[in-house]
Amino acid sequence: MSTEQPDVSDPPFRETVRELPARVWIVSLGILVNRCGNFLPVFIVLYLTSQGYSPGAAGLVLGSAGLGNVLGSALGGYLADQLGRRWTIALSGGTTAALTAVIPMLDTLALNIIVVGLVGAASQLYRPAAAALLTDSVTTNQQRVAAFAVFRFAMNLGAAAGGFLGGWLAANSYTELFLGNAAACLLFGVIAVLLLRDVPRGGSGEGGADTSGATEQEQGSYRLALADRRLRRFLLMTVIAELVYIQSTVGLPLHVTASGLSEADFGLLIGLNGLLVLVCELPIAGLVVKRRAAYVLAWGNLATGVGLALTGFATDMIWLAATVVLWSLGEMMYSSVANAHLAGLSPSGMVGRYQGLYGAAFTLGTGVGPLIGAAIYAYNEWALWAAIGVAGVISAQLCLPSRRAPAPVAAEGDDGESRQPDGESRQPSGKTGKPVSGADEASA
């Protein structure tokens, strides 16, 4: 069965969540701990300016972290498939902890740029591995959506708690802040080593591209992954979608202050978004899980784009809050199924690489989005809102199946043909295959 066609015979979503394998809950516990101590991205600029560096210099350091995020996601995908999910998570936690702990000892801008860039890379290694481990642990589309929904709930809960904890630590000592960050990363790695075990993998991923005809070297390359037209389309959609969403931290605050409102009002709007995501994303995942993932993603991107574009028409808190509710709904719809949908495109043996490319596309969009948004806003505010609306429509359209590519098959042997990564079919090789856990998001 194609992963694009939900199974109406699945049990209620709440029951699926309760019956998720222990491995899913362990990974979610690890990300909760990790996010509770993920202070560096939020406080690095304030720390550097407190040390006498200029805002421009702090921006360079932050930019190096962003570049590291992109590279780390790609490298993490490779390591997840080659080294294994468990040890990639452990490597990410231990390396990030060691690098973060030395930041207070750095006394030059160049060293800060290098080390923070390495932290950015090391801190993203775990993402593809964690996503791949969740994918390996379940067998149906509904279980995948449930697993990633639980994972994201833990991530959002940790981020909310980490904001308060980080502010308290920073008020006392930045050294304590970074040591706390290091301790959280190290604990995440320890949880992976002690409690996690990789899931044996084999066969062809359900709904994913078949790679049985490829050599071991070809299966280990990103070139083969990028030969999948559906993946390329998904990655382009991700970049555009993140360019749109990140304007909630660029265009929205600029518009709020231009409308005569305060920074505190902007904080309330962002707090509303965080509260909605924390409380409503799991229930929304249960509502959309039996819908075709491509259309859920499309509606989610459309709601996000339209909601943010309507910001330009809102000049008081009531209407601004209404737009936040709309784009938050889009965010939750998209995030509920993105990783699970991507897992369905992934052939066995390349789940980590697919998730790594998704992570790279995600961080690329969030990295360049503020620069593009600020530049367009400086030219003309209404040009930004128009661009957001158009980009939202484009990202929604990219979620829909391409007319060029035939519909994906479930697995080799279903119709006598198997799927090559570029969407073309080939004659069967005579090798049998069956759907295994880990085939169907984003994402992101």
Side-chain angles (χ1 to χ4, degrees):
M1 181 186 67
S2 171
T3 57
E4 281 297 317
Q5 300 293 340
D7 188 351
V8 295
S9 65
D10 282 329
F13 187 73
R14 182 177 299 178
E15 181 179 336
T16 301
V17 171
R18 287 199 303 265
E19 295 178 353
L20 286 172
R23 190 177 291 104
V24 173
W25 298 101
I26 294 170
V27 175
S28 299
L29 171 63
I31 195 60
L32 173 64
V33 171
N34 181 272
R35 295 292 287 183
C36 279
N38 190 33
F39 309 130
L40 186 143
V42 179
F43 291 95
I44 187 63
V45 171
L46 293 176
Y47 164 72
L48 291 170
T49 53
S50 74
Q51 300 300 303
Y53 294 103
S54 68
L60 287 175
V61 176
L62 193 61
S64 71
L67 177 60
N69 288 166
V70 176
L71 298 177
S73 294
L75 178 59
Y78 171 80
L79 292 175
D81 288 335
Q82 296 296 109
L83 182 63
R85 286 67 156 128
R86 172 196 183 196
W87 291 110
T88 300
I89 294 173
L91 176 65
S92 177
T95 305
T96 305
L99 291 168
T100 304
V102 305
I103 289 178
M105 307 174 193
L106 306 178
D107 55 4
T108 67
L109 177 62
L111 284 175
N112 275 285
I113 291 175
I114 294 171
V115 173
V116 173
L118 291 174
V119 169
S123 66
Q124 296 302 304
L125 293 177
Y126 82 87
R127 284 184 177 270
L133 189 58
L134 293 178
T135 300
D136 297 338
S137 303
V138 296
T139 56
T140 69
N141 179 62
Q142 177 156 309
Q143 289 174 337
R144 280 189 289 273
V145 173
F148 281 106
V150 169
F151 182 79
R152 275 188 50 83
F153 176 79
M155 181 180 291
N156 291 327
L157 182 61
F164 292 106
L165 180 58
W168 179 77
L169 289 173
N172 291 314
S173 167
Y174 277 110
T175 299
E176 293 180 7
L177 179 84
F178 291 122
L179 290 178
N181 195 150
C185 294
L186 183 60
L187 183 54
F188 186 23
V190 170
I191 289 174
V193 171
L194 297 182
L195 301 181
L196 289 176
R197 294 294 183 273
D198 285 341
V199 183
R201 305 185 302 278
S204 175
E206 178 188 351
D210 177 76
T211 60
S212 58
T215 66
E216 182 177 351
Q217 183 177 5
E218 287 172 334
Q219 290 183 20
S221 72
Y222 273 116
R223 178 181 299 180
L224 184 64
L226 291 172
D228 187 340
R229 186 184 301 127
R230 294 170 301 164
L231 175 63
R232 296 198 303 268
R233 188 179 179 92
F234 185 88
L235 295 176
L236 177 60
M237 177 276 295
T238 299
V239 173
I240 297 174
E242 293 310 315
L243 286 172
V244 170
Y245 178 77
I246 201 64
Q247 302 313 314
S248 62
T249 65
V250 181
L252 177 58
L254 292 172
H255 178 74
V256 166
T257 54
S259 300
L261 301 172
S262 67
E263 290 83 354
D265 292 321
F266 170 67
L268 289 174
L269 294 172
I270 292 300
L272 173 62
N273 166 253
L275 180 63
L276 287 171
V277 170
L278 191 61
V279 173
C280 299
E281 187 169 309
L282 262 175
I284 285 178
L287 293 175
V288 303
V289 68
K290 294 186 184 298
R291 305 295 179 181
R292 192 171 180 182
Y295 293 106
V296 175
L297 291 173
W299 280 111
N301 278 331
L302 188 62
T304 302
V306 170
L308 283 167
L310 289 176
T311 300
F313 296 95
T315 56
D316 60 57
M317 285 295 288
I318 294 178
W319 285 109
L320 282 169
T323 64
V324 170
V325 171
L326 180 56
W327 58 258
S328 297
L329 174 62
E331 174 192 359
M332 290 182 284
M333 292 175 64
Y334 173 91
S335 301
S336 295
V337 301
N339 284 99
H341 176 61
L342 178 61
L345 304 181
S346 310
S348 178
M350 294 184 69
V351 177
R353 290 174 180 82
Y354 273 54
Q355 294 289 345
L357 287 171
Y358 168 60
F362 181 94
T363 51
L364 178 62
T366 56
V368 303
L371 302 177
I372 295 175
I376 297 176
Y377 186 94
Y379 170 73
N380 183 281
E381 179 181 354
W382 283 103
L384 175 62
W385 307 127
I388 288 174
V390 171
V393 172
I394 293 173
S395 63
Q397 193 277 331
L398 287 171
C399 295
L400 302 177
S402 172
R403 294 181 179 180
R404 293 181 56 197
V409 295
E412 183 180 349
D414 285 357
D415 57 3
E417 295 183 345
S418 59
R419 182 72 51 203
Q420 289 281 42
D422 63 358
E424 302 297 332
S425 62
R426 63 174 176 83
Q427 294 302 318
S429 63
K431 182 179 180 180
T432 59
K434 63 179 180 178
V436 296
S437 61
D440 177 44
E441 157 192 290
S443 283

